[in-house]
Each structure stands twice: as structure tokens, then as C-alpha cells.
């Protein structure tokens, strides 16, 4: 028989573990990749120690946890094939372990306590991170701190202690998605007011940081949440695994494989108008072409995690598209395993259409998939919310 004090002790440690998992998504621009990996690995070892020796292993298999493990393994294998046992491989190992821990920890504590318990503390952790980042956004009026980071790398773009402008917007999208979740806000008017108010605030932050994608993402999350509150049928449709897979693959196919992007003069002009230099190279169109040419040469396993072929070619930039990023890093194998993660997350999640956390996670995932058309964002924060949704797996 477990006493109340022992129960409180277990809950306190569980909360700390959840907070540590949320800290894994932080990648400060001031800290070099080697030091970031060292910090993450230390946190991961602490989390593993707590899970193995304090709680033991949860023996029941979960297809969501298995699928993310396959995706993590793909990242490691693709990186090893190119770089062998190197610092780049260590990066893939640390990143893959982070993804697996997100899924396994949230799944375990949902079984041990409740889904609302996990959602509540994830929301609190992300809200704290948003407040810290926003403080630096407001104080610097969006200009950031800049300068040379602790890793010794010159930082050219605006950064806000724990995040750059893109990560800042994704954190806002995640907090927006989880508003009213965990404590089950019953008053719809109050909930809708909170959603609208935080959306307006997030848009103002994105304007300060000059993040157009962030504005679009926050508006998408808000509209989906508000509409789900009005019409429960829409969440049922959005939760079909084939809906999310077809949305992800279909929109990218139209966007990248048709003349909509590469031969569209109006879109090219738009990208040019949004660039910060006087050349189209600072837009996305040529980056897409470089990425697709590279993928065609090594399509199966890709080039390993954080492939920088675009940066090497142009001296700056990246693939600027979620699918291209996955294909560059881990090839068709990586894209297939990533789609498996999405499939099982949506297939196994409970059909409780009134659960606000599931509605919020669904809104976030779809909004991030839309943003991934023009940004590289299907990584840490995206996986964290996928893991949170997967924790509501039906028994």
C-alpha cells in the first residue's frame, strides 16, 4: 500500500522528468552544437535513470513509440553511412534518443497518472519557455541579442537567449494549441476569449521578430481550435490517419513537383520581396532546386542529419521545406518512417472528440505541416506535441 507521502514523492519526480523532457527541445543559438549535444545527452541520461530505476519499464508495446524509434534509427543509420562514428553521428544519436524519450515518457506517465496530468505540466513548461523568450523579444524590440555565442559562432540573425525567431513562433503555436488543456476549461466563451487574446499577442510577437510564417501558423492553430469547438465533426475527419498523410504528402507534391513553385514568376517575385538582400538567392526557389537535385543523387538514405548542402552551395540557407529536409537527412526511408509516426499517432489516439488536448495537438500538427511547406520545422517541438497526442492512445 503506497502512502500519500510516497504518492506525492512519485508525482513530484514525475513532474520534474516531464519538465526535463520539455527542456530537451531547447537549442540555444548561443551554444555550439557540440555543447548542446553534451547538455542534451546529460539530461537524457538523467531521464533514463529515473525511468529505469525509479519507475521501471512499461512492458506494453505502443506502435507510436515503436514508429518513432524506427524514425530515430533511420536518422542514425543514414548519418553513420556518410560520417561513420563522428560528432555528426553523435548528434543523430542524441536527437533520436530525445524523440524516443518524448514518446515513451509521456506514454508512461499517462498510464500511471492521467492524460490531463501530462498535458498540464507540458503546457506549464512550454508557457515558461515562451515567457523567457518573449522577455528578450520585447526588451530588444525584436532585434535580439546577436553577437558571438558561447559556442564561438558568430550569430547574424536575431536571437532571444533560448531560441531564434522561428523557434519562438513554434513555441507560441504550441502554447496556443494547449490553452485550456489539462485543466479542462468548460466555459466555451472564456476558452475562445483566451485563444483569441493569445493569438493577438502571438501575432504581435511575430511582427516584432519579423516572422511571417509564425503569423500564419498561429492563425491556423487558432482557427482550427475555434472551429473544432463549434463543430466536433471536423476533429473526427482531421484525426483520420489518411487525412493527415494525404495533407502532408499531397500539399508538398503540388507545391514542389508542379510549376507552382519553380516556374511561377509571381511566387518568385513574392519570395524576392520577402528576402533581406537584393538577390533571388536569398529567397527559397533556388534552395528548393538545389535540394531536389541533391536528393536525386542519393534518394534512399540521404546525406545524414542536418545536411548542409544548400548552405555549402549558396554559403547560407537550408532546404526551406520540411519534406526536402527529411529527404536530404534520411532519404525515402526517413520519409516513410516519418509518415509511419504520423499514421500511428493519429490511428491510435482515443476518439474522444471533446478532449481539448487532442483538439489542440491536432490543430498544432496540421498547422506545422502547412508551415513546413516553406520552413524547416518538423523536428523537436513538432515531435514533442506528436508525443503528447500519442500519449492519449486508446487502450
Amino acid at each position: 500500500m503506497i502512502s500519500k507521502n510516497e504518492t506525492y514523492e512519485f508525482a513530484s519526480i514525475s513532474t520534474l522528468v516531464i519538465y526535463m523532457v520539455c527542456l530537451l527541445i531547447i537549442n540555444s543559438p548561443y551554444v555550439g552544437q557540440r555543447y548542446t549535444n553534451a547538455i542534451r545527452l546529460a539530461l537524457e541520461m538523467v531521464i533514463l535513470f529515473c525511468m529505469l530505476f525509479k519507475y521501471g519499464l512499461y512492458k506494453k508495446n505502443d506502435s507510436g513509440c515503436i514508429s518513432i524509434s524506427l524514425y530515430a534509427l533511420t536518422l542514425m543509420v543514414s548519418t553513420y553511412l556518410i560520417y561513420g562514428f563522428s560528432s555528426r553521428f553523435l548528434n543523430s544519436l542524441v536527437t533520436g534518443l530525445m524523440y524516443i524519450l518524448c514518446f515513451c515518457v509521456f506514454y508512461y506517465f499517462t498510464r500511471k497518472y492521467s492524460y490531463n496530468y501530462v498535458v498540464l505540466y507540458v503546457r506549464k513548461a512550454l508557457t515558461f519557455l515562451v515567457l523567457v523568450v518573449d522577455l528578450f523579444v520585447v526588451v530588444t524590440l525584436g532585434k535580439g541579442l546577436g553577437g558571438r555565442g558561447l559556442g564561438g559562432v558568430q550569430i547574424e540573425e536575431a536571437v532571444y537567449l533560448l531560441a531564434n525567431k522561428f523557434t519562438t513562433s513554434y513555441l507560441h503555436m504550441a502554447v496556443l494549441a494547449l490553452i485550456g488543456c489539462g485543466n479542462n476549461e468548460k466555459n466555451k466563451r472564456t476558452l475562445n476569449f483566451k485563444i483569441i487574446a493569445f493569438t493577438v499577442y502571438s501575432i504581435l510577437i511575430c511582427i516584432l521578430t519579423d516572422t511571417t510564417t509564425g503569423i500564419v501558423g498561429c492563425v491556423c492553430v487558432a482557427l482550427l481550435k475555434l472551429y473544432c469547438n463549434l463543430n466536433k465533426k471536423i476533429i473526427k475527419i482531421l484525426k483520420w490517419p489518411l487525412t493527415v498523410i494525404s495533407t502532408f504528402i499531397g500539399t508538398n507534391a503540388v507545391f514542389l513537383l508542379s510549376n507552382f513553385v519553380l516556374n511561377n514568376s509571381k511566387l518568385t517575385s513574392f519570395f524576392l520581396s520577402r528576402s533581406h538582400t537584393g538577390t533571388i538567392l536569398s529567397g527559397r526557389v533556388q534552395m528548393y532546386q538545389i535540394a531536389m537535385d541533391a536528393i536525386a543523387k542519393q534518394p534512399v538514405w540521404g546525406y545524414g542529419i542536418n545536411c548542409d548542402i544548400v548552405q555549402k552551395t549558396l554559403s547560407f540557407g537550408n532546404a526551406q521545406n520540411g519534406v526536402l529536409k527529411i529527404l536530404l537527412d534520411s532519404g525515402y526511408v526517413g520519409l516513410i518512417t516519418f509518415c509511419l509516426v504520423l499514421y500511428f499517432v493519429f490511428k491510435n489516439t482515443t476518439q474522444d472528440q471533446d478532449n481539448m488536448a487532442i483538439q489542440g495537438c491536432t490543430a498544432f500538427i496540421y498547422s506545422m505541416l502547412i508551415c513546413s511547406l516553406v520552413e524547416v520545422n518538423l523536428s523537436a517541438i513538432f515531435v514533442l506535441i506528436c508525443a503528447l497526442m500519442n500519449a492519449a492512445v486508446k487502450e
Side-chain angles (χ1 to χ4, degrees):
M1 189 76 178
I2 300 177
S3 67
K4 289 184 178 180
N5 289 335
E6 288 175 320
T7 302
Y8 177 77
E9 178 189 357
F10 282 132
S12 299
I13 296 174
S14 302
T15 302
L16 181 61
V17 171
I18 291 173
Y19 285 156
M20 286 191 291
V21 169
C22 292
L23 285 176
L24 290 175
I25 69 175
I26 294 301
N27 187 4
S28 174
Y30 289 97
V31 183
Q33 191 62 58
R34 179 178 298 180
Y35 296 106
T36 297
N37 284 336
I39 294 169
R40 278 182 175 169
L41 185 59
L43 275 175
E44 289 169 355
M45 291 301 102
V46 173
I47 295 169
L48 276 174
F49 179 85
C50 291
M51 296 304 294
L52 291 174
F53 295 99
K54 189 69 177 179
Y55 299 106
L57 290 173
Y58 194 75
K59 296 181 179 180
K60 183 178 179 180
N61 292 325
D62 167 59
S63 53
C65 295
I66 293 173
S67 61
I68 195 65
S69 299
L70 289 174
Y71 178 59
L73 182 62
T74 301
L75 283 176
M76 297 175 203
V77 171
S78 62
T79 306
Y80 174 77
L81 291 175
I82 300 296
Y83 296 98
F85 290 105
S86 61
S87 59
R88 189 73 69 101
F89 176 75
L90 176 62
N91 186 17
S92 70
L93 179 66
V94 171
T95 302
L97 183 56
M98 172 178 63
Y99 292 169
I100 295 170
L101 285 175
C102 287
F103 270 72
C104 292
V105 169
F106 292 167
Y107 181 83
Y108 175 83
F109 286 135
T110 295
R111 310 277 84 71
K112 184 173 180 63
Y113 299 108
S114 71
Y115 186 52
N116 281 342
Y117 168 84
V118 175
V119 170
L120 177 63
Y121 287 105
V122 170
R123 193 193 72 191
K124 287 183 176 181
L126 295 180
T127 301
F128 173 76
L129 294 177
V130 163
L131 291 175
V132 172
V133 171
D134 285 0
L135 175 63
F136 286 89
V137 173
V138 174
V139 168
T140 65
L141 296 178
K143 296 179 180 179
L145 301 177
R148 188 173 294 277
L150 296 178
V153 178
Q154 187 69 30
I155 299 173
E156 297 178 355
E157 65 178 2
V159 294
Y160 313 103
L161 187 65
L162 300 178
N164 59 22
K165 64 179 185 178
F166 297 108
T167 303
T168 298
S169 64
Y170 305 148
L171 284 170
H172 273 265
M173 290 170 63
V175 172
L176 177 59
L178 298 180
I179 285 179
C181 304
N183 53 2
N184 285 328
E185 177 69 63
K186 298 297 184 182
N187 191 313
K188 285 190 176 181
R189 288 187 177 180
T190 302
L191 176 61
N192 290 342
F193 174 78
K194 290 179 179 179
I195 293 172
I196 294 171
F198 191 77
T199 301
V200 172
Y201 167 73
S202 297
I203 290 174
L204 292 176
I205 293 294
C206 290
I207 291 173
L208 273 178
T209 59
D210 189 25
T211 317
T212 306
T213 311
I215 296 174
V216 173
C218 289
V219 170
C220 286
V221 172
L223 290 178
L224 283 173
K225 284 202 69 172
L226 291 171
Y227 191 63
C228 286
N229 287 336
L230 294 174
N231 186 351
K232 300 299 181 183
K233 292 181 179 179
I234 186 64
I235 190 66
K236 185 176 181 180
I237 296 173
L238 292 176
K239 280 183 74 281
W240 287 344
L242 292 181
T243 303
V244 68
I245 297 296
S246 59
T247 298
F248 178 50
I249 300 298
T251 53
N252 276 279
V254 171
F255 192 72
L256 295 172
L257 301 181
S258 69
N259 291 333
F260 182 71
V261 174
L262 298 181
N263 296 317
N264 191 312
S265 59
K266 292 183 179 179
L267 192 62
T268 300
S269 299
F270 171 76
F271 284 152
L272 177 58
S273 68
R274 296 298 304 166
S275 41
H276 297 288
T277 69
T279 170
I280 191 59
L281 294 181
S282 58
R284 292 173 170 85
V285 177
Q286 189 164 349
M287 296 178 183
Y288 294 152
Q289 190 64 66
I290 292 169
M292 285 190 279
D293 289 343
I295 291 165
K297 295 176 182 178
Q298 197 151 318
V300 179
W301 288 101
Y303 297 87
I305 194 169
N306 295 334
C307 173
D308 55 359
I309 193 166
V310 173
Q311 183 177 6
K312 287 181 177 179
T313 304
L314 300 178
S315 76
F316 63 91
N318 55 50
Q320 295 292 317
N321 175 273
V323 167
L324 294 182
K325 162 72 171 171
I326 294 172
L327 288 171
L328 282 172
D329 286 359
S330 52
Y332 291 140
V333 179
L335 183 61
I336 291 170
T337 53
F338 180 84
C339 289
L340 282 177
V341 173
L342 289 179
Y343 178 83
F344 285 113
V345 164
F346 279 78
K347 179 178 183 294
N348 296 336
T349 304
T350 176
Q351 297 299 317
D352 182 6
Q353 298 170 28
D354 292 320
N355 190 302
M356 286 183 291
I358 294 175
Q359 292 179 14
C361 289
T362 301
F364 175 86
I365 290 171
Y366 273 91
S367 299
M368 287 287 276
L369 291 179
I370 292 171
C371 291
S372 75
L373 289 172
V374 292
E375 296 294 352
V376 174
N377 62 345
L378 305 179
S379 52
I381 299 176
F382 181 81
V383 171
L384 183 84
I385 301 301
C386 283
L388 188 60
M389 184 168 175
N390 182 76
V393 63
K394 53 193 176 186
E395 297 292 350

